[in-house]
Amino acid sequence: MAYVIDEDYNQLPPPPTRAAVEADLVDWRHRLTDLVKQLSSWSQEVPGIDCVIAETEMLEPKMQMVGINTPFSLPMLLIDKLPAERAGSPPMRFAANRAPDYGWLSIWPDARWVIGTRGQVWLQSEEFFETLVDIGTPGAPDWRFTQHGEFLRPLTRDSFQNIIKSLR
């Protein structure tokens, strides 16, 4: 247990409640679902690309702090550039915090609670790694590519398709 001295007696936010964390997780899942659907749509506009929406599970410290000890199911996106050469179908669930072995580019949630953001998502392949963060407000996500704590450029259809095309 950590203790913090708040000399101003009102500068620290109250500790999270279970209800607040659960509501935040539902919002996180909705934002990720919308993001995954949008990225899937943009991916399928690129010839020769196949997408699979799968699920992963996460259990973050803030969840455990309020007594949530069951992993939470979240969507992820697998993008494959060579669907004709794939043997079999992909698994539809993956362990928490690990990039799957299936797919050429994996897009998966890294963490909901990241300082200065409303969540962080990783885009990962063997040759590529990018981080997306949501710096928007409730009801208005603003996904940005980030590096070293700087919000560099917005996620757009063109920026995402350029990533796919550059890795082909």
Side-chain angles (χ1 to χ4, degrees):
M1 166 100 19
Y3 294 92
V4 177
I5 298 173
D6 180 10
E7 294 176 5
D8 294 332
Y9 299 104
N10 63 357
Q11 299 299 311
L12 295 175
T17 64
R18 183 179 180 118
V21 170
E22 287 173 340
D24 205 17
L25 287 170
V26 169
D27 175 66
W28 179 227
R29 183 182 314 159
H30 287 299
R31 287 185 290 123
L32 287 172
T33 298
D34 291 345
L35 175 67
V36 163
K37 286 179 182 177
Q38 184 64 69
L39 296 179
S40 176
S41 174
W42 289 343
S43 298
Q44 292 174 13
E45 294 173 6
V46 177
I49 296 297
D50 186 36
C51 297
V52 175
I53 296 175
E55 290 186 359
T56 188
E57 293 181 335
M58 299 193 75
L59 184 62
E60 295 193 49
K62 191 168 189 174
M63 295 166 63
Q64 294 173 314
M65 189 167 60
V66 298
I68 301 171
N69 296 309
T70 304
F72 192 72
S73 179
L74 296 169
M76 64 181 292
L77 182 64
L78 305 175
I79 300 172
D80 199 330
K81 67 178 177 176
L82 300 171
E85 295 181 17
R86 181 175 55 231
S89 60
M92 297 309 293
R93 295 188 70 77
F94 296 93
N97 295 325
R98 94 170 182 56
D101 298 326
Y102 173 88
W104 163 69
L105 178 65
S106 303
I107 300 165
W108 52 294
D110 170 51
R112 163 52 193 99
W113 292 280
V114 177
I115 294 174
T117 77
R118 297 186 66 237
Q120 178 171 290
V121 173
W122 285 350
L123 288 76
Q124 184 175 9
S125 76
E126 288 183 10
E127 315 110 29
F128 178 82
F129 183 83
E130 279 273 4
T131 303
L132 277 176
V133 293
D134 179 6
I135 61 168
T137 57
D142 182 6
W143 292 100
R144 301 283 178 128
F145 292 99
T146 185
Q147 192 173 51
H148 307 298
E150 294 182 33
F151 307 121
L152 300 176
R153 63 191 190 282
L155 172 67
T156 64
R157 176 182 170 269
D158 289 340
S159 66
F160 184 69
Q161 287 182 345
N162 285 340
I163 290 170
I164 292 173
K165 291 173 185 175
S166 73
L167 294 175
R168 293 186 85 189

